[in-house]
Amino acid sequence: MGSQEVLGQAARLASFGLILQVLFRLITFVLNAFILRFLSKEIVGVVNVRLTLLYSTTLFLAREAFRRACLSGVTQRDWSQTLNLLWLTVPLGVFWSLFLGWVWLQLLEVPDPHVVPHYATGVVLFGLSAVVELLGEPFWVLAQAHMFVKLKVIAESLSVILKSILTAFLVLWLPHWGLYIFSLAQLFYTTVLVLCYVTYFTKLLGSPESTKLQTLPVSRITDLLPNITRSGAFINWKEAKLTWSFFKQSFLKQILTEGERYVMTFLNVLNFGDQGVYDIVNNLGSLVARLIFQPIEESFYIFFAKVLEREKDATLQKQEDVAVAAAVLESLLKLALLAGLTITVFGFAYSQLALDIYGGAMLSSGSGPVLLRSYCFYVLLLAINGVTECFTFAAMSKEEVDRYNFVMLALSSSFLVLSYLLTRWCGSVGFILANCFNMGIRITQSLCFIHRYYRRSPHRPLAGLRLSPVLLGAFALGGGVTAVSEVFLCCEQGWPARLAHIAVGAFCLGATLGTAFLTETKLIRFLRTQLGVPRCTDKMT
């Protein structure tokens, strides 16, 4: 498969995923806003911080390294061995869920049962839901490796929507169930997710006339189960070693990704109510990152991994592929920078209004607006880091991955210390400041790798981080106008003033995006090419 074809598939995967995720997440967003009005801050804190951390930690430790190793750019692989390796995530998940469940029940502070009932049942069911989700891991990796565009997005979005509907129904009709509600909803979510993958592959492999069967390495659903390969080896040991390298890195990356939750959980720097407010703001602030940046990062990681070879210098690879990868990286960096700057500049003046609409006075008063404004700047760093690490992890050799682990170890240690100190000094916003510091270090490391990777080639993908002075001026003017608008129109003047404030922001945003359209012509050409959007002149001719 040529680099242009892989690029086209990655772009379609990202764009389709983006459209469907926006649609389904908006539905979920509305349902969660409804649910929030029936819950206490303490229950939100326990579910969204304590129990979700148990679930995400189990999954991350059990599967993240396997995903990265099994999606690396190897043209010839024995898929039977790869699938066998992926099935090892299930016993790993059982081990981690049992061990972490014991820690959550025996070593951590237990919430007041009168405020947050049924905590022990919640721990058991959240751990069980992680193991259930791991049963679908071989199906997920096979779908990702062969770029089944619709399956992943539809399966995950459908599961999230059904989970939100079930949660809303139980909260409305059986509020006294407490954590039973969220535990059952979580188990229902993972069950539906796995069933979507299993059902899809069962129907696909049962239809011999399907054109997709020609590209799949399996012909029967039983081929996806563990089995002994023709060579007699159960797994590919090269993939297993790469998995171990990624596991060490994944362990450290998990601390960086969920670090604030670990500090909250193990060091008790915030009570459960404050944890709930912080997590709601954190989820609201990261909504755009999950909707836009994550699908792009996942899709183009596959593109870079397939186009570039890990063990070879850029000058020793096929130059057409290297050039395409550089052009794509430059455009993605520009896109991430523009999206992140837009959120940072305009999010500052609309944080309080967004929180008031979403959760009422519980969120819009107190520390909520300051938290969301800080998070808007963090989103800019998230956007850039997602693209740079997407390329870096796809192009690094095994030895470079191992060396990078030492950097991640230092970052993990510094993050934990810094977040604890900053939280003691300035409250929950200290978590965001610590995340910004560590994200900046990670971006610097990735930028250095990209610079070294392309320094002996004519390509300069890091030029994507430069914007024209005119566009920077448009951002500065838009930010200033909306900040003044917030002072005079938001948020105690009633809905007519709020609507006027929104109109001012819409006008400034439109002017800024129009400036970007006129100045960033290279990025516009890239987006038109990959998304298949013709020029206006093309339509006329």
Side-chain angles (χ1 to χ4, degrees):
M1 185 182 293
S3 59
Q4 290 292 345
E5 187 178 352
V6 175
L7 173 59
Q9 289 187 349
R12 287 193 297 274
L13 177 62
S15 58
F16 185 84
L18 176 60
I19 293 170
L20 275 185
Q21 286 221 36
V22 168
L23 176 62
F24 288 125
R25 289 287 183 179
L26 284 176
I27 297 173
T28 308
F29 181 82
V30 173
L31 288 171
N32 286 340
F34 167 78
I35 294 170
L36 191 60
R37 283 163 168 75
F38 294 89
L39 301 175
S40 67
K41 295 187 292 184
E42 288 74 18
I43 285 186
V44 173
V46 171
V47 172
N48 289 2
V49 177
R50 179 71 67 86
L51 296 181
T52 301
L53 183 64
L54 169 65
Y55 166 78
S56 64
T57 302
T58 301
L59 287 180
F60 204 95
L61 293 175
R63 78 182 182 189
E64 181 67 16
F66 291 85
R67 283 186 169 185
R68 290 201 174 273
C70 295
L71 288 173
S72 296
V74 179
T75 55
Q76 297 294 331
R77 63 157 35 109
D78 186 336
W79 269 98
S80 295
Q81 293 179 333
T82 299
L83 293 171
N84 288 342
L85 184 64
L86 287 168
W87 279 111
L88 295 179
T89 59
V90 177
L92 265 179
V94 172
F95 166 77
W96 284 117
S97 64
L98 290 175
F99 174 73
L100 293 175
W102 175 80
V103 172
W104 257 239
L105 289 173
Q106 301 298 324
L107 302 184
L108 299 182
E109 175 190 2
V110 176
D112 184 349
H114 296 96
V115 179
V116 184
H118 316 304
Y119 172 72
T121 303
V123 170
V124 172
L125 291 181
F126 267 78
L128 177 61
S129 67
V131 176
V132 170
E133 186 166 341
L134 290 171
L135 293 173
E137 196 61 18
F139 303 90
W140 186 93
V141 170
L142 187 62
Q144 284 292 98
H146 292 83
M147 293 188 175
F148 288 178
V149 177
K150 300 179 182 179
L151 175 59
K152 176 178 179 291
V153 178
I154 291 178
E156 293 184 359
S157 301
L158 180 64
S159 303
V160 168
I161 287 180
L162 291 178
K163 171 190 173 183
S164 299
I165 292 174
L166 177 62
T167 304
F169 176 80
L170 293 177
V171 165
L172 189 60
W173 294 102
L174 300 168
H176 59 281
W177 276 22
L179 292 185
Y180 281 152
I181 295 173
F182 300 94
S183 304
L184 292 174
Q186 183 66 26
L187 187 59
F188 177 72
Y189 160 78
T190 56
T191 303
V192 172
L193 183 63
V194 173
L195 286 177
C196 284
Y197 281 97
V198 174
T199 302
Y200 178 85
F201 277 103
T202 300
K203 291 186 66 177
L204 178 65
L205 297 174
S207 304
E209 68 279 3
S210 175
T211 56
K212 290 184 178 180
L213 282 178
Q214 300 173 6
T215 62
L216 286 177
V218 295
S219 58
R220 303 184 307 273
I221 193 67
T222 54
D223 293 339
L224 287 163
L225 299 176
N227 60 83
I228 301 298
T229 63
R230 298 172 185 173
S231 62
F234 186 72
I235 60 174
N236 183 325
W237 286 104
K238 185 177 181 180
E239 278 186 339
K241 291 177 181 178
L242 184 60
T243 301
W244 173 241
S245 296
F246 277 125
F247 175 79
K248 291 181 288 184
Q249 178 183 324
S250 298
F251 184 81
L252 300 174
K253 185 178 179 181
Q254 174 70 356
I255 296 177
L256 291 175
T257 304
E258 302 277 10
E260 67 271 12
R261 286 187 170 93
Y262 288 115
V263 173
M264 284 188 227
T265 299
F266 289 94
L267 299 181
N268 297 322
V269 293
L270 299 175
N271 59 46
F272 289 117
D274 290 339
Q275 289 180 27
V277 173
Y278 172 82
D279 190 75
I280 293 169
V281 173
N282 179 60
N283 287 335
L284 187 61
S286 63
L287 185 64
V288 175
R290 294 197 304 270
L291 289 180
I292 299 177
F293 304 140
Q294 187 176 353
I296 292 175
E297 179 183 350
E298 291 179 351
S299 301
F300 282 95
Y301 170 79
I302 298 173
F303 162 73
F304 289 128
K306 285 180 175 291
V307 168
L308 302 174
E309 298 182 54
R310 285 187 179 276
E311 305 297 331
K312 287 186 179 180
D313 187 81
T315 57
L316 302 177
Q317 299 188 44
K318 188 178 179 181
Q319 290 307 297
E320 179 187 354
D321 291 345
V322 173
V324 170
V328 171
L329 178 59
E330 180 180 350
S331 296
L332 289 178
L333 285 173
K334 184 80 71 176
L335 181 63
L337 181 60
L338 287 175
L341 268 179
T342 302
I343 293 167
T344 301
V345 170
F346 292 96
F348 185 86
Y350 291 89
S351 293
Q352 185 176 359
L353 179 59
L355 290 175
D356 193 64
I357 294 173
Y358 185 65
M362 182 182 77
L363 298 181
S364 61
S365 61
S367 62
V370 177
L371 283 172
L372 190 54
R373 289 180 183 124
S374 303
Y375 206 97
C376 286
F377 174 71
Y378 179 52
V379 167
L380 171 61
L381 301 181
L382 276 176
I384 297 173
N385 180 72
V387 174
T388 54
E389 284 195 348
C390 161
F391 177 88
T392 300
F393 290 149
M396 275 182 171
S397 65
K398 179 182 178 299
E399 291 72 22
E400 287 170 324
V401 171
D402 287 336
R403 285 198 300 268
Y404 191 77
N405 288 335
F406 290 102
V407 177
M408 298 288 278
L409 177 61
L411 284 176
S412 302
S413 303
S414 65
F415 172 78
L416 293 176
V417 174
L418 190 61
S419 59
Y420 177 77
L421 295 176
L422 288 176
T423 305
R424 290 293 187 187
W425 175 48
C426 54
S428 53
V429 74
F431 285 121
I432 300 177
L433 297 178
N435 273 314
C436 289
F437 173 80
N438 280 276
M439 197 61 65
I441 300 297
R442 287 168 65 177
I443 291 172
T444 302
Q445 291 291 324
S446 297
L447 292 179
C448 290
F449 174 84
I450 295 170
H451 174 72
R452 289 194 306 269
Y453 192 85
Y454 279 105
R455 66 183 171 187
R456 285 186 284 180
S457 75
H459 311 293
R460 296 294 177 265
L462 295 183
L465 293 176
R466 291 198 295 265
L467 296 179
S468 70
V470 175
L471 182 54
L472 290 174
F475 273 115
L477 182 61
V481 170
T482 53
V484 173
S485 173
E486 182 184 29
V487 173
F488 290 99
L489 299 176
C490 187
C491 289
E492 305 297 333
Q493 310 299 322
W495 270 105
R498 292 183 179 190
L499 292 175
H501 179 48
I502 293 173
V504 171
F507 175 79
C508 292
L509 177 61
T512 303
L513 294 180
T515 305
F517 184 84
L518 295 175
T519 57
E520 301 299 336
T521 54
K522 190 174 181 179
L523 174 61
I524 299 303
R525 283 197 304 270
F526 171 79
L527 293 176
R528 279 173 169 161
T529 301
Q530 300 309 319
L531 300 179
V533 179
R535 293 175 180 269
C536 294
T537 55
D538 295 338
K539 292 180 181 179
M540 295 175 64
T541 57

